[in-house]
Amino acid sequence: TQGKVITCKAAVAWEAGKPVSIEEITVDPPQAGEVRIKVLYNALCHTDLFTLSGDDPEGDFPVILGHEGGGVVESVGEGVTDVKVGDHVVPLYTAECRECKFCKSGKTNLCSAVRATQGKGVMPDGTKRFKCKGKELLHFMGCSTFSQYTVVSKYSVVAITDKAPLDKACLLGCGLTTGYGAATKTANVQEGDNTAIFGLGAVGLAVVQGCKVRKAKQIIAIDTNDRKEEWARSMGATDFINPTKLPEGKTIVDVLVEKTDGGCDHTFDCTGNVNVMRQALEACHKGWGVSTIIGVAAAGKEIQTRPFQLVTGRKWQGSAFGGVKGRTELPGLVDDYLAGKLTVDDYVTHRTSLDEISKGFDYMHGGDCIRCVVDM
Ligand code: NAD
Ligand code: AHE
Ligand code: ZN
């Protein structure tokens, strides 16, 4: 198939707010600096739902969604040397070129090499590789893993050991790395810290794992769904609070400030709800508490607090892909997974097939699903 157009199946999002539909599409060969991947597995992340809903300001249609995938390199364009045909790979929605101002800054994992074109749903040269019924389809987050074959920039893919099962390692393509990295890299939680995590989906549970590995003293898990308590404790949470069941007249901030003798050293939002983000900030300890936003809020939503909260020493920050440099650091996380330091397998609570991917979306609305892996 090298150099040939491939015909395969994909879940196509024709328009916002409508279910994806399984279509036969064509995938062009990789151009210079590009890699064509046979996608074997893809986990469903809430960000896919977010964009499908129409709430994503960068969301445009028709598009092939999906960004938490795992597969094998089918062919490479000229100038690609870091991956080769047959390699097991994970696509990266946060690229790493190692040449741009961001990659060289030593201050962020963000990379500018392909982000502008990625946000427009096209390849770095401004064109697309997907067609369906004669119509071109947009790319998504530089990955588009809802297709049996996809094409990505060489900066947006990393090879991993073939000892890691791809139907689990694909979770490191987003949710697991995002949460674990947010705690251990972006926030850099220290031993003895008091921490609170709002929202115990795959991301929040991975934050809990990161706080645990850093030997935080209190790891307070907060979720409106009681069924998440068991999940949170299994990942290392010391406490669980359902903010819809508080003592009369108490807010979640009151409860957390009392529980932590003045407030948390670190809090995390993993819900995408801007009101929760405010609570997470205001539950931080005066003088030094840091709140890290991971959740993705809908277009137009904004965060609010009194400036006094910051003047008196609280800090508000965010985290993308856990602050992790994918090409440099993801293989290390795979090693941690294989060494049993990072729990991944337990997160896969549901499976489905590409033909029945919409069942996967239904599982995610159900509240019992942590991650559903699609066999492509
Ligand atoms: P999820 O929907 O599986 O988990 C969200 C959890 O938050 C659920 O358990 C839900 O019950 C809980 N929740 C909802 N409202 C709440 C509230 N008011 N108070 C407390 N808990 C509440 O989602 P996920 O896949 O874990 O992703 C979490 C968020 O992180 C989403 O917004 C997603 O888009 C975002 N995300 C961001 C990045 C990044 O790099 N910044 C990466 C992955 C996901
Ligand atoms: N297009 C969205 C971007 C929202 C957002 O914050 N995305 C996260 C990844 S979510 C993965 O499940 C992120 O890391 N963004 C960094 C980046 O470079 O976009 C919007 O809201 O505009
Ligand atoms: Zn995601």
Side-chain angles (χ1 to χ4, degrees):
T1 50
Q2 183 119 0
K4 297 261 187 309
V5 172
I6 289 179
T7 298
C8 67
K9 277 196 296 188
V12 177
W14 288 107
E15 46 185 301
K18 295 272 176 47
V20 296
S21 72
I22 305 305
E23 308 280 2
E24 184 175 88
I25 69 164
T26 59
V27 185
D28 291 343
Q31 301 302 300
E34 297 177 357
V35 178
R36 187 159 61 180
I37 299 166
K38 178 174 177 35
V39 182
L40 297 175
Y41 301 100
N42 171 92
L44 300 177
C45 171
H46 275 260
T47 308
D48 295 311
L49 286 179
F50 160 76
T51 302
L52 185 59
S53 76
D55 281 347
D56 181 351
E58 287 183 296
D60 207 354
F61 298 81
V63 61
I64 296 181
L65 299 169
H67 64 284
E68 194 167 307
V72 176
V73 174
E74 175 272 337
S75 64
V76 298
E78 76 189 62
V80 176
T81 52
D82 283 9
V83 298
K84 63 186 182 309
V85 175
D87 280 354
H88 284 209
V89 292
V90 171
L92 300 167
Y93 66 80
T94 297
E96 184 189 353
C97 74
R98 298 177 177 154
E99 291 145 23
C100 74
K101 181 181 179 184
F102 295 82
C103 286
K104 286 183 165 171
S105 71
K107 297 174 184 170
T108 179
N109 66 320
L110 296 179
C111 166
S112 61
V114 303
R115 184 59 183 81
T117 46
Q118 173 174 319
K120 293 191 182 66
V122 294
M123 296 303 288
D125 69 358
T127 64
K128 307 170 193 89
R129 302 287 169 271
F130 300 125
K131 267 199 203 69
C132 181
K133 299 173 185 162
K135 209 167 155 39
E136 286 192 323
L137 304 175
L138 289 163
H139 296 249
F140 175 64
M141 290 174 74
C143 297
S144 288
T145 49
F146 283 179
S147 172
Q148 290 176 324
Y149 286 86
T150 188
V151 178
V152 303
S153 156
K154 65 182 182 180
Y155 297 135
S156 306
V157 59
V158 61
I160 64 168
T161 170
D162 57 10
K163 292 188 183 57
L166 280 168
D167 62 335
K168 309 293 189 307
C170 64
L171 272 64
L172 291 170
C174 187
L176 264 285
T177 300
T178 295
Y180 191 74
T184 59
K185 278 201 79 180
T186 309
N188 189 19
V189 170
Q190 295 299 300
E191 183 165 357
D193 279 355
N194 289 337
T195 65
I197 298 97
F198 292 74
L200 279 307
V203 175
L205 291 170
V207 174
V208 169
Q209 283 203 70
C211 293
K212 169 92 174 159
V213 84
R214 283 299 176 88
K215 300 187 172 60
K217 183 163 67 152
Q218 287 180 305
I219 304 175
I220 306 167
I222 298 151
D223 202 298
T224 46
N225 176 354
D226 280 332
R227 287 171 288 176
K228 298 298 176 95
E229 171 165 10
E230 192 185 340
W231 271 106
R233 291 188 185 281
S234 75
M235 293 294 158
T238 55
D239 305 79
F240 178 84
I241 301 174
N242 182 330
T244 63
K245 299 175 180 171
L246 298 177
E248 190 51 40
K250 292 262 188 215
T251 68
I252 185 66
V253 174
D254 299 331
V255 170
L256 287 170
V257 167
E258 281 161 33
K259 203 174 176 57
T260 57
D261 181 29
C264 300
D265 301 292
H266 284 281
T267 65
F268 299 84
D269 169 69
C270 306
T271 68
N273 176 317
V274 293
N275 302 317
V276 174
M277 293 171 187
R278 175 172 194 161
Q279 294 166 344
L281 175 84
E282 297 179 357
C284 282
H285 203 290
K286 186 174 180 179
W288 61 77
V290 179
S291 190
T292 300
I293 294 176
I294 305 173
V296 169
K301 296 286 184 191
E302 296 182 343
I303 49 177
Q304 280 185 305
T305 192
R306 285 199 64 221
F308 182 67
Q309 291 286 331
L310 306 184
V311 168
T312 51
R314 291 170 195 79
K315 289 188 178 64
W316 226 341
Q317 65 181 7
S319 180
F321 194 48
V324 171
K325 286 174 167 284
R327 291 172 61 211
T328 305
E329 297 175 323
L330 198 130
L333 286 176
V334 174
D335 293 341
D336 288 351
Y337 159 49
L338 292 176
K341 282 191 210 143
L342 176 58
T343 300
V344 177
D345 294 14
D346 298 352
Y347 285 67
V348 182
T349 54
H350 295 73
R351 306 287 296 235
T352 188
S353 63
L354 176 56
D355 289 341
E356 305 208 311
I357 193 169
S358 288
K359 268 194 184 159
F361 284 111
D362 297 343
Y363 296 141
M364 290 166 80
H365 289 300
D368 282 320
C369 174
I370 299 301
R371 271 299 188 260
C372 172
V373 170
V374 182
D375 292 51
M376 296 299 287

